[in-house]
Amino acid sequence: MLYNSVLNLIKQKAPRPIIDGVNFAYSVFDPMLISYYRQQSRWNKPIPPFELRRITAKRSITDYVESGKRIADTLVEGLKVAHKEIDEVQSILDFGCGAGRQIQYFYDYNLTKIYGCDPNAEHIKWLSRSYPLADFHVSQFTPPLPFESDTFDLIYSVSVFTHLSENAQFAWLEELRRVLRPNQIALLTTLGEHAAKRHDSEKLGRPDPSEPDSFEQALTHHKFLFYVPESYKAVNQFINPNTASEEEMYGVAWHSEEYIMQQWGRYFEVVKVIPGCIDGLQDLVILIKS
């Protein structure tokens, strides 16, 4: 939509006060926008308010609903690559569930118990009210999770490992392995070679001083990249207030397929890496706990 394209352009190019003004205006009118969307689409599932929705998705209500559907469908197809059907799954953990963009669809599987965790307590409060048959927990920046070992048949995580330092991702891979049942599946998304080529070709927004001139070349050379953009500082102060170094911050992480095979293969069997299948940008990494 042209409207969303204009908003995205404003976000990329405009000074901070203008961005804040747009966000304030959007939050004021958001209840009416949600009501209008429901009337036009006959959508009857919970829609999080703007202030929660925009943290893990775009401002658009349509994007929250439709991107959630696209990603959930891709995860279900990824499960099939590991020779498992969603109807066989009895317990699912959404690791880094945000405002429930995928949960709104997985919640429909009546035989499946849904769990979610996220460091944002407001997300967890809203999800707990909106999806009473699911089980949600506030998680911390570092392990452990509040679950027993060998609990879940499926763990999926969208846009989490795209923000973790090397030490943090290793700690969480070990923890996800702990809470996943033997011979069960984890589906994790990453930024890889596909996203690097797209970023280099589109060159959207103002580059951060920490970014390389070419992500494709940098990823080819280093195999793994991690940096903390200036714009992430406020988020880190909220999520992990005792941050002492970049290793303890959320940033932007890029993984080559070679890196995933070598490093993640120490924790799981890497079944497959599917490039760019998550909304045409992120890769889907399919893992089994052997």
Side-chain angles (χ1 to χ4, degrees), residues 214-230:
S214 168
F215 278 95
E216 185 177 6
Q217 292 179 9
L219 195 56
T220 299
H221 180 70
H222 297 289
K223 309 305 180 185
F224 174 78
L225 304 173
F226 177 76
Y227 64 96
V228 180
E230 289 292 322

Side-chain angles (χ1 to χ4, degrees), residues 4 20 71 84 88 93 96 101 135 159 169 173-174 249 284 288:
N4 289 327
D20 291 342
I71 295 170
K84 197 172 187 69
E88 302 174 49
L93 172 63
R101 188 164 46 148
D135 192 352
S159 296
Q169 66 171 303
L173 287 170
E174 182 68 37
M249 295 183 187
L284 180 63
I288 292 180

Side-chain angles (χ1 to χ4, degrees), residues 206-278:
R206 295 188 297 264
D208 187 89
S210 303
E211 293 183 0
D213 293 332
S214 168
F215 278 95
E216 185 177 6
Q217 292 179 9
L219 195 56
T220 299
H221 180 70
H222 297 289
K223 309 305 180 185
F224 174 78
L225 304 173
F226 177 76
Y227 64 96
V228 180
E230 289 292 322
S231 59
Y232 277 49
K233 289 183 177 180
V235 176
N236 277 296
Q237 289 174 359
F238 173 76
I239 294 176
N240 195 25
N242 297 320
T243 294
S245 68
E246 286 197 354
E247 283 292 316
E248 299 172 323
M249 295 183 187
Y250 280 109
V252 181
W254 298 73
H255 300 73
S256 68
E257 184 171 340
E258 179 182 344
Y259 177 92
I260 288 171
M261 292 295 183
Q262 291 178 351
Q263 300 298 330
W264 291 22
R266 297 184 293 147
Y267 302 91
F268 295 93
E269 175 190 344
V270 182
V271 177
K272 191 172 184 179
V273 179
I274 305 177
C277 68
I278 301 295

Side-chain angles (χ1 to χ4, degrees), residues 18-70:
I18 295 179
I19 296 174
D20 291 342
V22 170
N23 287 338
F24 175 76
Y26 211 108
S27 64
V28 169
F29 290 102
D30 193 56
M32 289 180 286
L33 294 173
I34 290 175
S35 178
Y36 178 77
Y37 181 85
R38 290 192 183 284
Q39 291 175 3
Q40 294 298 309
S41 66
R42 299 188 181 278
W43 186 253
N44 60 4
K45 296 180 181 179
I47 298 174
F50 169 74
E51 287 302 323
L52 298 183
R53 194 173 67 243
R54 74 185 182 102
I55 295 174
T56 54
K58 297 178 182 178
R59 296 175 175 87
S60 166
I61 298 166
T62 301
D63 180 81
Y64 172 83
V65 172
E66 294 183 357
S67 68
K69 171 65 172 171
R70 291 193 302 270

Side-chain angles (χ1 to χ4, degrees), residues 76-95:
V76 170
E77 291 301 310
L79 196 59
K80 293 179 181 179
V81 173
H83 306 292
K84 197 172 187 69
E85 297 291 334
I86 187 63
D87 292 337
E88 302 174 49
V89 175
Q90 296 182 359
S91 57
I92 296 177
L93 172 63
D94 185 329
F95 177 64

